[in-house]
Amino acid sequence: ERERERRERERKSMAGVKTTPEIKEITKIERIGAHSHIRGLGLDDTLEARAVSQGMVGQKEARRAAGVILKMIQAGQIAGRAILLAGQPGTGKTAIAMGMAKALGEETPFAMMAASELFSLEMSKTEALTQAFRKAIGVRIKEETEIIEGEVVEIEIDRPATTGSAA
């Protein structure tokens, strides 16, 4: 009874308000990451950082330094080595790293990791890094395990014949 009265009051209060039903059709769900807008470092030909370019804003000195490293990588001077970006949270390290990867081309693997992933109790640091690198370059390792189930009926132990005499 009370519920019916509440609905009636609500209906009367909404009598003068027109509502338009909104129907949205969702055909595709996209995952948008925090740095999905980045397309490069936003540098000109002289490695000067543009104010706003390729999704990058600010950190002009860091972007220029990343551009110098990028040129060295493209020239083959530091190929096959890792780059460590360090700094306070929120200073743009991930954005610069992603900008470098995008500037190097689509074939360049990019692995983003949080420090907490490295210092996990579940696996060693080496294993965590190995998994991240494999994921970045698309390596999949298939492990096969054979499990035999059944009931043990008899155990037979083969021992070599002993040599020597028992006196």
Side-chain angles (χ1 to χ4, degrees):
E1 179 67 28
R2 287 182 181 169
E3 179 64 24
R4 191 170 55 91
E5 289 174 1
R6 186 191 62 78
R7 278 188 269 146
E8 183 64 27
R9 281 194 310 269
E10 188 176 293
R11 188 184 63 78
K12 286 179 182 177
S13 68
M14 297 291 288
V17 178
K18 287 187 175 183
T19 60
T20 306
E22 185 176 340
I23 300 171
K24 290 183 179 180
E25 186 175 323
I26 300 175
T27 57
K28 183 179 177 185
I29 297 174
E30 282 186 34
R31 181 174 170 218
I32 298 175
H35 297 93
S36 60
H37 61 284
I38 295 174
R39 296 178 315 278
L41 288 172
L43 302 173
D44 61 16
D45 294 336
T46 61
L47 299 181
E48 291 298 321
R50 295 185 192 107
V52 178
S53 179
Q54 295 180 324
M56 297 291 282
V57 178
Q59 289 287 22
K60 290 184 178 184
E61 291 177 22
R63 286 167 45 204
R64 178 173 167 68
V68 170
I69 293 169
L70 191 69
K71 292 295 180 193
M72 292 173 70
I73 292 169
Q74 290 170 334
Q77 295 174 334
I78 58 171
R81 297 199 178 134
I83 299 167
L84 176 65
L85 302 176
Q88 296 295 317
T91 55
K93 300 176 296 294
T94 305
I96 289 172
M98 185 170 281
M100 290 177 73
K102 295 278 185 163
L104 286 170
E106 291 296 319
E107 295 296 315
T108 305
F110 179 75
M112 184 171 66
M113 290 185 76
S116 60
E117 293 177 79
L118 282 178
F119 297 100
S120 168
L121 296 176
E122 297 172 4
M123 68 177 77
S124 68
K125 293 177 190 80
T126 304
E127 180 63 23
L129 286 170
T130 302
Q131 283 184 9
F133 291 137
R134 285 179 180 164
K135 181 180 174 186
I137 62 174
V139 173
R140 301 290 182 257
I141 296 178
K142 183 179 178 183
E143 294 181 4
E144 291 186 17
T145 305
E146 186 176 341
I147 299 173
I148 302 171
E149 291 185 18
E151 179 181 326
V152 177
V153 178
E154 181 182 350
I155 297 177
E156 186 177 313
I157 301 173
D158 293 334
R159 291 192 183 162
T162 57
T163 56
S165 61

